[in-house]
Each structure stands twice: as structure tokens, then as C-alpha cells.
Amino acid sequence: MKLVIANWKMNHLRRDAEAFCATLLASYKPVEGVVAGIAPPYPLLPVLARLCAGSPVRLYAQNAHAEARGAYTGEVSMAQIQDAGCTAVLLGHSERRQYCAETEATLLPKIKAACAQGLLPMLCIGETLAQRDANETLDVLRRQLAILPEAAPESLAIAYEPVWAIGTGRVATVAQIAEVHAFIRKELTTLLGAAGAEVPILYGGSVTPDNFAEIMRVPHVAGGLVGGASLDASKFLKLLEIAGA
Ligand code: PGA
């Protein structure tokens, strides 16, 4: 299975979502085995759920809280994102690790809560430039993946996003992506056994319609988690077309 997931981050208003969906749904031709997903800001989830109803486009949340309910001002539960139309949730995006103190300790209960709720977690992992320069990339990724067996995820996806490639226009080289994706596959089979061979591993970081075909040809790359380029419906359509080619 291949996935192209639009991570809108803190972008777009309702009118933008409406224009995006009008363009997307007018031309989108779903291809067997290619999943299109959109991860909008929370307030747009019900809007997109309505606009995409009857289409195969899946809704992702960008995060959710591990607790089921309670006094957590400003937080949103797994049940609430599901109620708003999500079937999946991004967890551990590097911007949340950087700005919101997300760590392996906070992510483990979130993965468990997502699975318990029947949501598909997409765990985002990646090294900073300092970690890459210090030759720590594989150690960092190993540590970030190590929470998986404890969570026993039913149906999981991984997004490898080198932090230095996110929003910078500096995409990782094919050789770098190939090395890391092969490493992640090996780790997943060590951690999860045979199930680890099936987990989709996406690449993210300055993906555009111009570089995506080359990235998709790299072994073990099963799609893209796309920020900037995914804000534009025609670019998102192009990415979906490339994934389905
Ligand atoms: P980018 O963001 O495509 O703008 O680099 C990717 C992401 O953060 O998921």
C-alpha cells in the first residue's frame, strides 16, 4: 500500500479547504493501492469530513492526547478526532517534538490510545542536522522506533522525515533515503517480526511533484508525508498521480 498524506500544519481556513476539495475532487481518480489522506488543523476536520464524504480520501489528525477525557485544557482526545471523521493520526512529528516537548515517553501512551480507539497511528521519526553531522542518525532512529513493540500496533505507518529537510527545500538525497529506509525496514522486522515487513514507510521533507517520482523509486519508500506542496490541490493531485504510476 502507498500513501500520500497532506500535512497542512497550521495553514488554511475553511474557504481554502473548500477550494482545495473542489479542485481535488473534480479531478481525483483513485488508484487501487494508493491512499490519499489530509491532516488539517482540528477545526477543519468536520469541514473536510463533510466535503470528502463519499470519496476515499482519509482524514488524519496532526496529533491527539493519550487520555480518553478529562481536565486537559487545549487538548483533543482520540475519540474526539475519530468522532470528527479521522481514521488515522500523525504522532511525533518533529515540530511537535521541537515545540511541544513530545518525546518517546509521551508518544508511547498516544500510540496505545490510538490503537485502542481503532485509529491508525503514523509515527514520524527523523534526525536533526546536528545529529546527522555527528553520525548519530541511525542511533536516533533506533531510539525513536524502540517504543513500537510495547505499543503492539495493529496497523501502523512510519514517516521518516529528516528534520533538516522539512520546509527547507533541501530534500535528502536518494542515497540518504535509501540507507535510512533500509535501516528502518530492518529495525521494524527486528521489533515486530513478520508484521514489520508490511509496515508502510513514508518519506517526508521538501517533497514536491518535481522530486517525488525519484523518491518513490527508492526501495522501501511507500509514499510521502507532504507539507508545503500539499497546500495546493493541483500539486497534491500530481503527487497522487506519481504514487499511482
Ligand atoms: P515539507 O513538510 O513538505 O513542507 O517539508 C513535511 C512535513 O513536515 O511533514
Side-chain angles (χ1 to χ4, degrees):
M1 186 174 55
K2 296 175 196 165
L3 301 98
V4 183
I5 310 301
N7 177 9
W8 283 1
K9 309 191 181 185
M10 198 172 71
N11 294 294
H12 281 345
L13 299 176
R14 197 169 45 194
R15 62 169 179 265
D16 307 306
E18 285 164 357
F20 183 99
C21 286
T23 306
L24 176 67
L25 298 175
S27 319
Y28 177 42
K29 297 195 180 51
V31 169
E32 179 81 29
V34 180
V35 171
I38 304 177
Y42 292 134
L44 295 181
L45 283 171
V47 177
L48 282 175
R50 179 174 51 79
L51 293 170
C52 296
S55 87
V57 175
R58 292 193 194 167
L59 276 190
Y60 280 63
Q62 297 177 13
N63 175 50
H65 199 271
E67 294 298 328
R69 68 186 61 75
Y72 299 99
T73 302
E75 294 290 346
V76 172
S77 74
M78 297 290 171
Q80 288 169 329
I81 61 169
Q82 188 175 55
D83 194 39
C86 290
T87 55
V89 58
L90 304 180
L91 291 174
H93 189 281
S94 66
E95 285 148 17
R96 294 204 51 85
R97 293 178 191 259
Q98 185 181 352
Y99 304 126
C100 306
E102 200 86 270
T103 63
E104 275 56 66
T106 60
L107 286 167
L108 177 56
K110 289 187 178 197
I111 291 192
K112 287 183 177 172
C115 293
Q117 192 63 40
L119 290 161
L120 309 182
M122 177 176 288
L123 179 66
C124 305
I125 61 173
E127 81 288 359
T128 64
L129 188 56
Q131 288 164 334
R132 177 162 281 272
D133 287 345
N135 242 332
E136 292 168 4
T137 299
L138 302 186
D139 290 336
V140 168
L141 299 175
R142 185 181 289 117
R143 194 176 68 233
Q144 292 175 336
L145 289 167
I147 58 174
L148 292 181
E150 269 196 83
E154 301 282 294
S155 187
L156 174 81
I158 302 293
Y160 168 58
E161 300 197 299
V163 177
W164 47 271
I166 294 178
T168 59
R170 184 179 159 190
V171 68
T173 65
V174 163
Q176 287 169 328
I177 299 172
E179 183 201 13
V180 168
H181 277 246
F183 172 79
I184 293 171
R185 176 64 71 214
K186 190 161 66 62
E187 281 295 296
L188 288 173
T189 43
T190 307
L191 292 167
L192 306 174
E198 306 301 324
V199 175
I201 310 170
L202 281 65
Y203 170 80
S206 296
V207 167
T208 67
D210 294 332
N211 59 32
F212 194 46
E214 190 181 30
I215 293 170
M216 284 300 290
R217 282 194 292 272
V218 176
H220 303 295
V221 171
L225 178 56
V226 189
S230 79
L231 296 173
D232 177 327
S234 24
K235 287 187 186 166
F236 187 56
L237 275 165
K238 185 81 198 141
L239 294 169
L240 285 165
E241 199 184 294
I242 292 168

